[in-house]
Amino acid sequence: LGPALVLELSGLPWVGPQETGFTEKQWPTLKASGMCPLGRLPLLEVNGHIISDLLAIVNYIGKRAGLDGEGMDEFATSQALLAESEEFHDGLQRFQPSIEIENRDAIDSTFVRLVDEEPRGFGCFGRNPIDRMSRTKQVEAHETATFWVESVPARLQSLEDMLAGNPADSLGFTSSGQTVGELCLWAVLHQMRLCSPNVFDKFPALRTFYENLQNHEGVKRVVCGRSSSGPWKQYFICPGAQERETTRVSCVLM
């Protein structure tokens, strides 16, 4: 979700699975082709040059599109938030049940392509379209509960504190509210909210940050499947509640 948001809000022309037709079933062939230097997706192709690793990709797009922050202070803030988004994602991977994907070794395997002004353009392989709603591993209920009761609030409080000194009309952690770090953080916060709709109840500044981006037309296009990235489905789930919550939040974003 993060790379798709960065692509959509970058202002750079691009095409994705909707146009390329890339699906997870093509991952084995792509992997065998040697195009994936790290053996996994996503990939970004720029005029035939391959860029691998999610962080390298979003930072490349950020640098090219001016989403890396206004000055060095904002750049540092964006990078800190990018790292925090990865920490949140790692925690969810470890403690939150998730749906199963067909090619787990790819992790992120939907094809999206940016189109540059140059004839060859550039493209990015992003996230898988996921349709198998079974859990990939057995997660102990007490571990999940501890994660949400202890770990999540502490980390959200740190983000709330970062926002505390900003002006009342601030759009986020930086002057634009749309740096690479903020967009990738929003992506993981959105997945957390799908699992726990009240996650921001005690963090008003963070909720405002979330809602500011939630209402952005570019974000709506990505989350609701109207961007070139194509349909996006919830990865982390609460068994028995996933379908209801996804429908409710998606309707809010439409």
Side-chain angles (χ1 to χ4, degrees):
L1 181 59
L5 292 173
V6 173
L7 289 167
E8 186 68 11
L9 273 67
S10 70
L12 299 171
W14 64 289
V15 295
Q18 297 285 71
E19 290 78 23
T20 66
F22 185 84
T23 71
E24 68 219 52
K25 296 184 183 299
Q26 296 170 270
W27 163 240
T29 301
L30 178 63
K31 184 178 181 181
S33 73
M35 284 185 65
C36 309
L38 297 178
R40 65 178 182 271
L41 298 172
L43 294 180
L44 177 70
E45 180 184 356
V46 186
N47 294 327
H49 176 65
I50 298 296
I51 302 172
S52 185
D53 183 76
L54 183 148
L55 298 182
I57 288 169
V58 297
N59 275 320
Y60 175 89
I61 298 167
K63 182 69 173 178
R64 181 159 179 165
L67 298 179
D68 52 352
E70 186 70 30
M72 291 305 297
D73 288 346
E74 288 196 0
F75 172 76
T77 296
S78 174
Q79 292 300 299
L81 296 174
L82 186 57
E84 186 67 2
S85 73
E86 289 296 289
E87 291 288 336
F88 271 123
H89 195 272
D90 288 347
L92 289 168
Q93 288 276 25
R94 182 176 179 182
F95 298 115
Q96 189 66 26
S98 59
I99 62 177
E100 185 173 341
I101 63 176
E102 193 165 313
N103 298 293
R104 178 150 298 280
D105 63 331
I107 303 299
D108 297 320
S109 59
T110 307
F111 179 56
V112 297
R113 169 167 295 166
L114 284 163
V115 180
D116 201 2
E117 293 78 10
E118 298 299 321
R120 297 186 63 181
F122 66 96
C124 173
F125 296 81
R127 292 190 180 275
N128 261 336
I130 303 168
D131 56 14
R132 297 172 62 188
M133 301 304 296
S134 58
R135 292 171 64 179
T136 60
K137 63 179 181 178
Q138 189 67 33
V139 179
E140 296 293 337
H142 73 275
E143 293 180 324
T144 301
T146 299
F147 171 69
W148 285 98
V149 171
E150 297 181 6
S151 300
V152 169
R155 301 196 82 100
L156 293 183
Q157 185 60 57
S158 295
L159 294 172
E160 183 78 6
D161 293 342
M162 288 180 67
L163 290 166
N166 289 353
D169 59 349
S170 175
L171 297 176
F173 296 83
T174 67
S175 56
S176 71
Q178 297 177 21
T179 62
V180 164
E182 286 163 303
L183 294 176
C184 288
L185 177 65
W186 189 93
V188 72
L189 291 177
H190 180 62
Q191 295 179 74
M192 293 171 68
R193 183 172 178 244
L194 290 176
C195 295
S196 178
N198 300 320
V199 67
F200 303 132
D201 280 0
K202 296 181 179 179
F203 309 100
L206 193 58
R207 182 175 61 246
T208 297
F209 162 74
Y210 175 86
E211 291 173 349
N212 281 337
L213 280 175
Q214 179 188 32
N215 293 323
H216 190 287
E217 286 302 318
V219 173
K220 291 181 182 180
R221 286 193 297 271
V222 172
V223 174
C224 296
R226 301 196 304 266
S227 79
S228 192
S229 182
W232 179 84
K233 292 186 179 180
Q234 184 175 348
Y235 178 67
F236 299 107
I237 60 172
C238 294
Q242 188 272 340
E243 184 176 355
R244 174 178 60 82
E245 292 302 336
T246 300
T247 301
R248 184 181 72 81
V249 176
S250 294
C251 289
V252 171
L253 291 172
M254 293 295 287

